[in-house]
Amino acid sequence: MSIRLIIISLVLASVLSTASGQEAEKGVINLSQSDLAQSIIPLDGEWEFYWNELLTPEELDNRFEKDFYTFPKPWNDGVSANGIPLSHMGYATYRLKVILPHEFVPSIFIKHFYSAYSLHCNGILIAQNGKVGESESEYQPSWVPTTIPLDLHADTLFLDLQISNFNHKTGGSRESILIGGKTEITSDFNLTLGYDLLLAGSLIMVGLFFLGLFFFGSKDKFVLYFSLFCLTFSYRVVAADDYALHILYPDVNWYAAIKMEYLSLFLPMLFFSLYTQSLFPQDAKYKLLYGFALVSGLFSMAVLLTPPVIFTHFVVAYLILLLLGIIWTGFIYISAFRNNRQGAQYALLSSGVVLITFLYKLADYVGIIRELEIISFLGYVIFFFFQSLVLFFLFTDSLKQAKEEAEIASKSKSDFLSMMSHEIRTPMNAVIGLTDFLLTDKPKESQIDILNTLKFSARNLLVIINDILDFSKIEARKIEFENKSVNVAGLLSSLHHVFQPAVKSKNLDLIFDIDESIPDNIYCDPTRMSQVLTNLISNAVKFTNIGSITVILEQIKRSGDEVVIKFAVKDTGIGIAPEHLKEIFNSFTQASTSTTREFGGTGLGLTITKRLLELQGVDLFVESSLGKGSHFYFVQIFKAGENENQPKTSKEKSEEMDSSQINLKGKIMVVEDNAINVMVVNKFLKKWGIEVAVAKNGIEAIETYQADPEIILILMDLQMPEMGGYEATEKLREMGVTIPIIALTASALMEDQERIKQAGMDDFITKPFDPTNLREKIVKYTQHPL
């Protein structure tokens, strides 16, 4: 099925779902025969309406002369049923009588109204945003979408809604009030929030990726413009329409928020205009996009310099210009396609997708249809995917032309990967570190699931980034493998701990079946072995909705100190059609396009797994059939490792980390220029009863160590201003300093790990750090046994 047909089908579904809703008549809507437990219904239609009056429920009960007005519908140039002319500035009271199915307790969802409201149900105030009033001095605007469970056991609801507006060019209502079962309303609310956060997070990652590529690789301006477009548009995703940012931060200042919202409309289009103009300059010969960029810049200045009541008038005119700009961009891409420009076919496809998405959003904006979040989400994702492909092919062409500069290009790539690893892992260190700390800081029961979800999502982002970095290293054949004794049970216990939240959330069984004849320890690369098994288990969890995932380790043969082990991961998931079995190991490939849409993923996990095994001389096999699950397996030869004490499981380590302190006879110095990372490390060290000294760079580290004889261990960042961690360590060792120095670094590259050892550091911890790992390293190098 083509992308266009998918989008058209979803649009039709959206129209039909909107058209099937019941309408209120003369202030009454009868839902007594509706299945509200399984559906969500907009409370649209003819509401009682009283212009320039803020009436209480008691006053409405005694009101005999009634007026009516369509809901939702802005006041702008409107006329009530009794012929009263309305204005965008003013205030009004609405009332709707809702007849419910017998003994049904509903929930309500409200996005926002222009620009403050209060809502009573059966005389009880159940929701309000801002403060309604009869003048600008009496009211306060606010937009925070909210869900409201109604703990009212009544077959009839009287909804009394007061709205005030004195700051926006649109007054009244444009969004429906939705009613339905609590589960349906909450699920719809969370799904919408999830789409927005996922899309915004992805755009930030893409924007940072291309921004880094511009500064550390390609100097083409279109790369910079595209990265700025992604970053500015990512803000709009969470700060407009569904207002996810307002949900997360309900106390955000409305005046500042609306200025940022409108800037996020104009600025992305400014950068996209410059991006398209510089991408195909030969085909954009009339340079009209420079004019559109100028208009976008002027509108942005107007937002900064004028109040909302003025700059909110610009939207309609700008949307018309935007539509014309999209059409003109399409013509540029058609010209580029005809002239066989590199990547033009994908640019052309993206322009078609964004045009359809824009028209769909426009239809929602003017009230023709009710938006389905999945349509907009898919439209944006497909658009950015195709634009990324355009840049990908341009880079490929550029690399072919620069073949003679391969060594310089390789160095730039290595620097870029190191920078990206550092820049992405540094903020993720704060997110994951603080989440770990909060989880150990006696959180409320209601917060535990949220914190676990946040931690799981953050680690999933790291998996995606690591996949991209690993894929690049594998393609360049720069992967190196360690060989050290690893406890098999400990490794599998850690995997079980990692995947337990995911399988629990899907009600699946995760089973580990280990042959007892397998040696306790084997020589292997623990990181790569864990990565291979993680990818296989993650793949199984993703595509299994009912049943179990079974991890099997079977000893095939034992000869002296050599052991042959078969690793298998079986699931009861959706399975793979025979004709697609060979394709699933290709880069960026899944069994079908519908699989990508339903289950997501980069399509790199199995590719990386297969390549990692091939680099070790091992083949990965798969057996599968549709509807019956899949069976991935490989056979590998290992040398039996030295028997060591059974390591503690991840859970035991975590519990021990929470419950005990480390009694050091001295201080630990944290050398780190990022204040947030210092805070994260300090929280754990102080929790363990450790005294901390802090230095912002290598120079301060040397001075602090010389001035403080109590320092017995150093946690050293690598990339810092004035003097980095490598140089600082070398100078300390030249001075005769022998205390342990552990690198606390965001870089995961093998060459960086080698450089850490060469500089004289004793060990390293990768950001985002595992608190348990940090604790173990401290204990190990300060000789305080657990």
Side-chain angles (χ1 to χ4, degrees), residues 31-32 36-37 99-106 150 152-156:
L31 303 179
S32 61
L36 289 175
I99 303 173
L100 298 173
H102 184 58
E103 294 185 351
F104 177 75
V105 181
L150 299 178
L152 300 173
H153 296 277
D155 295 342
T156 301

Side-chain angles (χ1 to χ4, degrees), residues 292 318-331 358:
F292 186 75
Y318 188 77
L319 290 178
I320 295 173
L321 287 175
L322 181 58
L323 177 59
L324 295 175
I326 293 173
I327 295 172
W328 177 243
T329 300
F331 282 120
F358 176 82

Side-chain angles (χ1 to χ4, degrees), residues 631-693:
H631 175 200
F632 289 85
Y633 63 94
F634 62 93
V635 177
Q636 191 167 357
I637 302 173
F638 301 95
K639 182 180 177 182
E642 300 170 358
N643 286 326
E644 300 172 351
N645 293 330
Q646 183 73 11
K648 296 178 176 65
T649 66
S650 298
K651 182 178 180 182
E652 290 169 341
K653 291 176 182 177
S654 179
E655 290 173 350
E656 187 173 56
M657 178 191 73
D658 295 345
S659 61
S660 62
Q661 295 189 334
I662 306 173
N663 298 315
L664 298 186
K665 295 180 179 178
K667 299 179 183 177
I668 289 180
M669 178 165 60
V670 178
V671 187
E672 169 69 70
D673 63 310
N674 187 296
I676 296 177
N677 285 341
V678 172
M679 178 188 70
V680 174
V681 176
N682 277 358
K683 281 186 176 294
F684 284 102
L685 295 181
K686 290 180 179 179
K687 186 180 182 70
W688 299 330
I690 298 173
E691 193 173 348
V692 181

Side-chain angles (χ1 to χ4, degrees), residues 477-547:
R477 304 191 73 82
K478 287 188 174 182
I479 290 287
E480 297 181 23
F481 294 90
E482 292 181 290
N483 189 36
K484 62 182 184 180
S485 182
V486 177
N487 182 271
V488 178
L491 186 146
L492 296 178
S493 174
S494 296
L495 290 175
H496 187 275
H497 183 69
V498 167
F499 282 99
Q500 194 58 37
V503 296
K504 183 179 179 182
S505 68
K506 299 182 74 173
N507 293 319
L508 302 174
D509 292 323
L510 179 58
I511 303 166
F512 285 81
D513 184 2
I514 308 172
D515 189 339
E516 293 182 357
S517 61
I518 293 176
D520 291 339
N521 295 275
I522 58 174
Y523 278 96
C524 67
D525 185 327
T527 301
R528 298 306 173 187
M529 176 60 72
S530 178
Q531 186 176 7
V532 166
L533 293 176
T534 295
N535 281 342
L536 293 177
I537 298 172
S538 177
N539 191 68
V541 173
K542 182 190 298 183
F543 297 111
T544 304
N545 293 320
I546 299 174

Side-chain angles (χ1 to χ4, degrees), residues 56 156 429 451 463:
T56 66
T156 301
N429 179 56
L451 291 171
V463 169

Side-chain angles (χ1 to χ4, degrees), residues 16-247:
L16 291 173
S17 67
T18 303
S20 62
Q22 294 172 259
E23 294 280 327
E25 296 181 5
K26 298 297 181 182
V28 179
I29 185 168
N30 189 345
L31 303 179
S32 61
Q33 303 304 313
S34 301
D35 185 10
L36 289 175
Q38 301 297 323
S39 62
I40 298 175
I41 295 178
L43 298 178
D44 296 348
E46 195 176 39
W47 287 46
E48 286 184 37
F49 180 77
Y50 305 97
W51 176 242
N52 276 351
E53 294 184 79
L54 296 179
L55 302 176
T56 66
E58 293 77 12
E59 290 172 330
L60 287 168
D61 289 338
N62 298 319
R63 191 69 176 240
F64 297 103
E65 294 184 7
K66 297 182 179 181
D67 198 358
F68 300 94
Y69 192 63
T70 302
F71 183 95
K73 182 180 179 182
W75 299 334
N76 304 40
D77 302 321
V79 179
S80 73
N82 291 345
I84 298 176
L86 312 180
S87 168
H88 66 286
M89 296 289 198
Y91 51 94
T93 302
Y94 297 78
R95 166 168 275 202
L96 178 67
K97 179 181 179 181
V98 184
I99 303 173
L100 298 173
H102 184 58
E103 294 185 351
F104 177 75
V105 181
S107 288
I108 284 176
F109 172 75
I110 298 175
K111 185 176 286 188
H112 72 83
F113 301 115
Y114 300 100
S115 291
Y117 77 87
S118 65
L119 178 65
H120 288 76
C121 180
N122 291 355
I124 301 172
L125 179 65
I126 61 171
Q128 67 178 40
N129 261 194
K131 180 182 177 183
V132 294
E134 297 181 353
S135 66
E136 185 174 0
S137 62
E138 294 178 359
Y139 108 118
Q140 179 180 342
S142 178
W143 295 351
V144 182
T146 183
T147 58
I148 311 159
L150 299 178
D151 190 17
L152 300 173
H153 296 277
D155 295 342
T156 301
L157 304 179
F158 286 93
L159 298 180
D160 302 325
L161 175 65
Q162 297 177 343
I163 299 178
S164 296
N165 177 62
F166 296 97
N167 289 104
H168 201 278
K169 68 98 180 175
T170 302
S173 61
R174 186 176 72 85
E175 305 288 348
S176 301
I177 293 179
L178 304 179
I179 190 169
K182 179 179 179 180
T183 301
E184 290 295 316
I185 288 286
T186 303
S187 297
D188 191 63
F189 178 81
N190 291 336
L191 187 63
T192 298
L193 183 64
Y195 279 138
D196 289 345
L197 293 177
L198 178 60
L199 180 58
S202 301
L203 290 180
I204 290 172
M205 289 297 182
V206 171
L208 289 175
F209 179 87
F210 284 108
L211 189 64
L213 191 59
F214 174 78
F215 285 112
F216 291 89
S218 171
K219 296 298 180 182
D220 295 310
K221 288 184 178 180
F222 56 79
V223 178
L224 175 63
Y225 293 144
F226 186 70
S227 69
L228 294 175
F229 168 60
C230 291
L231 293 174
T232 52
F233 192 77
S234 69
Y235 181 83
R236 181 160 189 82
V237 171
V238 294
D241 195 17
D242 297 313
Y243 297 99
L245 187 65
H246 293 225
I247 297 170

Side-chain angles (χ1 to χ4, degrees), residues 482 484 712-716 718 725-726 729-730 732-733 737-744 752-765 777-778 780-783:
E482 292 181 290
K484 62 182 184 180
I712 61 172
L713 184 143
I714 299 174
L715 297 176
M716 180 78 74
L718 299 182
Y726 295 117
T729 301
E730 290 168 353
L732 286 168
R733 294 309 188 202
V737 176
T738 59
I739 67 170
I741 301 177
I742 301 175
L744 191 57
D752 289 331
Q753 296 174 18
E754 289 298 322
R755 190 178 172 191
I756 286 169
K757 295 178 181 177
Q758 292 171 5
M761 300 185 204
D762 298 274
D763 210 330
F764 69 94
I765 299 172
K777 293 289 174 73
I778 292 172
K780 174 182 176 181
Y781 288 101
T782 54
Q783 298 180 350

